[in-house]
Amino acid sequence: MNKLLITGAATAITLTGAAYAQSSVTLYGLIDAGLNYTSNEITATGGGGHSNWQMTSGAIQDSRWGLRGAEDLGAGLKAVFVLENGFELNNGQYTSSNRLFNRQAYVGVSSREYGALTLGRQTDGMVDFVGPLSLTGTEFGGTHFAHPFDIDNLNDSFQINNSVKYMSPDFAGLKLGALYGFSNQAGGFANNRAYSFGLSYIRGPWNFGFGYLQLSSSARTPAQLNANGAVTDTTAASLQNALLTSAVPIGVLADKQRTLGAGVNYSFGPAVAGFVYSQSKITQFFQTNLSVNFQNFEGNFRYALTPVVELSGAYTYSRAGGNGGGGIPHWNQVSAMADYRFSRRTDVYIQGAWQRVSPSGTSPLGVAWINGVSNPSSTTTQVQAAAGLRHRF
């Protein structure tokens, strides 16, 4: 009898070990820190511009750590999850004060044949399909390469809460995706909801991408914002500061924000050339008749000078128009970066950006403001430069 019990226990331990062998949890992360210089930063409302030397975190990519897991359920099906936190290396704080896993938090199932269905806080179609074709959405440009105010979210400034997301498998180079973010409000189904979709197609040296994102809300003031809805980040508040002189989240205090984008990359030898277009239409700020339309045109280039040295650069022309008065302001931005890899995980970089805005009439968008810089310029131009170190684990 004792022999039978011992044999049974040994079998159970063996089976348990086999089950655990089919599951995995991975700790991963990225640390990006360096020294940053910015010209012409204002010090207070109406104050003059001053140079600013800073130690910063995430000049290229936001510092983060996360957990990624999968369990094999058999028949090509897996349970998957991701929990990812963004933080500021220079002071150790979360990038979002009220969220532990502020970048991503989702769970779902994945199939080699049918794709993946996930639920939680996730990225949208602009980030997934157009961002990789723009230097701001990659390790070759990042934060300061973003289009003005990151209005198109290609730099992943905000994620979608309460979202259900589907990503297809690869169909001979074609991938599709769609997402819906619930408002989670009784009697307010469309009050701070989001939906998005996109696709990518890779064939030979060509890489194409398209994305669409729509946000909607019925809030008129920040106090009326549905704080449990799909978009609750305030990382794009700089645009609202410029337009309305009050820090409120972008898109969720308008009736609708419709953003679409498309891009293409072409690889030849050690080089990659690309073009990206995006458009964001924001209608009825505070449920008024104020509407704004942004357009961005980006040309970018990467070149592997040696196996360990990579050069990249981008030029972006942006313009804004609408019925708020003041004509059509437009931006010109030139950005460049040089990167040296010590290893697959560790590299050093230098990068910089120059931006000039040409305001028209009485437009409030009259000063330069490079994305990721603490304060806007006191003039129509601004320069930013950084040298830093990145490590991945």
Side-chain angles (χ1 to χ4, degrees):
M1 180 67 177
N2 289 339
K3 183 176 180 180
L4 179 61
L5 290 173
I6 293 172
T7 302
T11 302
I13 292 171
T14 302
L15 291 175
T16 302
Y20 278 117
Q22 295 174 343
S23 301
S24 66
V25 176
T26 302
L27 172 67
Y28 68 93
L30 182 148
I31 303 171
D32 180 346
L35 301 178
N36 190 81
Y37 164 81
T38 310
S39 70
N40 301 335
E41 276 198 40
I42 63 171
T43 56
T45 302
H50 295 268
S51 297
N52 192 2
W53 293 87
Q54 301 168 280
M55 178 187 170
T56 59
S57 175
I60 306 297
Q61 294 174 280
D62 292 337
S63 297
R64 80 240 5 214
W65 70 274
L67 297 170
R68 179 186 298 114
E71 180 188 10
D72 192 345
L73 303 177
L77 192 66
K78 291 183 178 180
V80 296
F81 75 87
V82 168
L83 302 172
E84 186 173 288
N85 166 263
F87 62 93
E88 301 289 346
L89 183 72
N90 52 315
N91 57 24
Q93 294 180 350
Y94 297 150
T95 53
S96 177
S97 60
N98 60 346
R99 293 188 182 92
L100 174 59
F101 298 111
N102 46 48
R103 289 181 56 84
Q104 295 187 86
Y106 65 80
V107 66
V109 291
S110 174
S111 164
R112 291 192 301 266
E113 185 176 357
Y114 299 109
L117 182 67
T118 50
L119 301 91
R121 178 174 168 86
Q122 305 177 83
T123 54
D124 63 79
M126 293 293 294
V127 175
D128 295 335
F129 297 104
V130 185
L133 305 177
S134 166
L135 288 191
T136 186
T138 70
E139 62 182 298
F140 307 105
T143 303
H144 300 299
F145 282 44
H147 305 154
F149 314 109
D150 195 28
I151 184 69
D152 48 21
N153 203 35
L154 295 187
N155 195 52
D156 195 15
S157 289
F158 62 85
Q159 295 78 40
I160 310 299
N161 302 324
N162 317 321
S163 63
V164 179
K165 182 176 180 179
Y166 170 75
M167 292 289 283
S168 78
D170 189 314
F171 298 109
L174 176 67
K175 292 191 71 174
L176 307 169
L179 171 146
Y180 187 89
F182 289 85
S183 71
N184 278 14
Q185 185 179 70
F189 185 77
N191 184 16
N192 194 0
R193 68 171 177 176
Y195 61 86
S196 178
F197 55 85
L199 62 88
S200 65
Y201 180 66
I202 300 175
R203 185 172 181 84
W206 294 96
N207 186 350
F208 301 91
F210 170 82
Y212 179 83
L213 169 66
Q214 179 165 317
L215 312 177
S216 61
S217 176
S218 59
R220 291 177 179 269
T221 68
Q224 294 175 340
L225 174 66
N226 173 17
N228 297 315
V231 178
T232 52
D233 301 87
T234 58
T235 51
S238 57
L239 174 60
Q240 302 286 28
N241 280 329
L243 289 172
L244 304 170
T245 65
S246 62
V248 290
I250 190 171
V252 293
L253 290 182
D255 177 61
K256 287 184 177 61
Q257 176 181 330
R258 301 180 179 93
T259 297
L260 64 85
V264 59
N265 278 182
Y266 179 77
S267 303
F268 51 102
V272 179
F275 176 79
V276 170
Y277 169 80
S278 71
Q279 177 176 274
S280 296
K281 292 184 177 181
I282 306 174
T283 57
Q284 296 185 4
F285 276 124
F286 292 123
Q287 307 302 306
T288 68
N289 290 325
L290 177 62
S291 299
V292 183
N293 181 35
F294 282 84
Q295 290 180 297
N296 299 289
F297 306 82
E298 176 192 330
N300 58 65
F301 187 77
R302 301 187 345 238
Y303 182 74
L305 187 63
T306 73
V308 296
V309 177
E310 184 103 22
L311 306 177
S312 57
Y315 166 73
T316 299
Y317 173 76
S318 306
R319 63 186 182 185
N323 61 1
I328 303 177
H330 55 97
W331 293 258
N332 288 276
Q333 180 165 312
V334 178
S335 311
M337 175 176 165
D339 183 82
Y340 178 82
R341 293 184 179 273
F342 291 113
S343 67
R344 184 175 61 86
R345 293 184 174 184
T346 304
D347 61 316
V348 292
Y349 61 81
I350 55 173
Q351 62 86 227
W354 171 86
Q355 184 186 101
R356 178 178 176 82
V357 59
S358 300
S360 177
T362 59
S363 169
L365 302 173
V367 295
W369 198 346
I370 295 172
N371 190 66
V373 169
S374 301
N375 295 296
S377 171
S378 60
T379 70
T380 58
T381 62
Q382 191 169 58
V383 173
Q384 170 276 329
L389 170 70
R390 271 187 302 192
H391 177 73
R392 306 159 182 83
F393 62 90

